[in-house]
Amino acid sequence: MRTSPTKTHARLAAVTAVIFISAASAQTRRDAAARKSAAAEETVVFAVQKYEAEAQIDPVAVITRGRYTAPPLGGDTALETARFKGFIRDFYRPGRKFRVLFGGGEAGSVEVRKYLEPGCVGMEASVTLQTSARLGGQVAALATNSGALGRGKSTRRAPTEAERAAVLELARRAFRRNKVSAARVEKMETNNLTAADLNGDGRAELIGSFIITGEFGVEDALLLIAEPGIDDFAVTLDWFHHGQEADSHYRRLVDVLDLDGDGTAEVIAQGIYYESHDYFIYKKQRDAWHVVYQGGGGGC
């Protein structure tokens, strides 16, 4: 008994459809696995700040295959909005926990309470903080979803009186080099001054942020890194900015952490502007510190 051409064509079409659907389903599974794999490779580093009894985290950067990218703060396109919502869903789920790092070492944990809706733009979340580090005021820490970062011993500490005196003099000189008057230099305030062994040689580098305020708030700002020499400290970074009101800008230390595993900790700083903030990552390259990342933050 012969099969009609019509029935043969119908059977072939059905088989082809099954093969097509199966292939499409397999591709969908592969795409989902690829997305899951990519998400698993993403490391997020957060700034941890404490204000009295309240603690918050704010994403500094996303690290994917060794590259720094900015957190998805949202935007005008559907893709940017989707990335922003996906980040909030995945990382700010109530009850999610992250490791707290301080000075490059383990220092406790944070547990997400809720995402804080910003007045303008931002990605902060309220957290419950459990840490051995004494945070508050200008002293911040880091948190991460990575199990590999920050496995060393914390080297961060307050400077000794001799270290403090040496760096304060270096800061005054730096202001004077930038043509700040002697009278104004006398008004210099220490925003934060921290000692930490950044390269594991057993000797602490000093990281300081200094400001001079005027009628319009912070008008002169300095971020300084000084490294121990034979007899004294040598300045390897002295970032300076002068500006008033809308042009005001200063940078302060968040924390230090070896992000790329080369044995030297990067310095993570927060940039403070008139109505916003962001983050900077400094890396030691050829005996000098260079910005290798700027992003994150928020504001109006």
Side-chain angles (χ1 to χ4, degrees), residues 171-247:
R172 295 186 190 99
R173 293 177 191 173
F175 276 121
R176 290 196 291 267
R177 279 197 307 273
N178 285 283
K179 304 188 185 309
V180 178
S181 70
R184 285 186 55 74
V185 171
E186 290 302 313
K187 298 180 181 180
M188 181 185 79
E189 303 172 44
T190 302
N191 179 266
N192 178 270
L193 182 55
T194 293
D197 182 0
L198 301 179
N199 58 8
D201 67 354
R203 300 189 300 170
E205 285 77 18
L206 301 174
I207 308 157
S209 52
F210 306 91
I211 57 174
I212 300 174
T213 57
E215 182 180 356
F216 303 103
V218 175
E219 297 181 357
D220 295 290
L222 178 71
L223 177 65
L224 183 147
I225 300 178
E227 302 186 1
I230 297 174
D231 299 316
D232 208 343
F233 285 89
V235 175
T236 50
L237 170 73
D238 61 346
W239 172 86
F240 170 81
H241 181 79
H242 171 77
Q244 296 178 344
E245 292 190 287
D247 193 38

Side-chain angles (χ1 to χ4, degrees), residues 82-103:
R83 288 187 66 233
F84 170 78
K85 290 182 177 179
F87 186 98
I88 300 302
R89 180 189 65 244
D90 294 340
F91 291 97
Y92 285 170
R93 180 180 70 252
R96 177 148 192 193
K97 292 183 178 181
F98 301 105
R99 297 169 57 231
V100 171
L101 309 176
F102 187 73

Side-chain angles (χ1 to χ4, degrees), residues 105-168:
E106 193 96 29
S109 65
V110 293
E111 181 176 329
V112 175
R113 295 174 58 199
K114 63 178 180 178
Y115 167 59
L116 298 174
E117 293 283 351
C120 293
V121 176
M123 296 187 74
E124 295 180 336
S126 172
V127 296
T128 301
L129 174 65
Q130 298 290 335
T131 182
S132 57
R134 298 181 63 180
L135 305 185
Q138 303 301 324
V139 181
L142 298 170
T144 184
N145 63 326
S146 168
L149 292 177
R151 286 300 181 183
K153 181 180 179 181
S154 175
T155 65
R156 185 173 175 177
R157 59 172 174 79
T160 65
E161 288 303 315
E163 290 171 334
R164 181 180 297 276
V167 173
L168 288 177

Side-chain angles (χ1 to χ4, degrees), residues 255-277:
D255 207 346
V256 302
L257 178 64
D258 186 358
L259 295 168
D260 56 13
D262 69 348
T264 298
E266 278 68 47
V267 173
I268 296 95
Q270 185 181 49
I272 310 294
Y273 306 90
Y274 182 58
E275 290 184 331
S276 63
H277 73 280

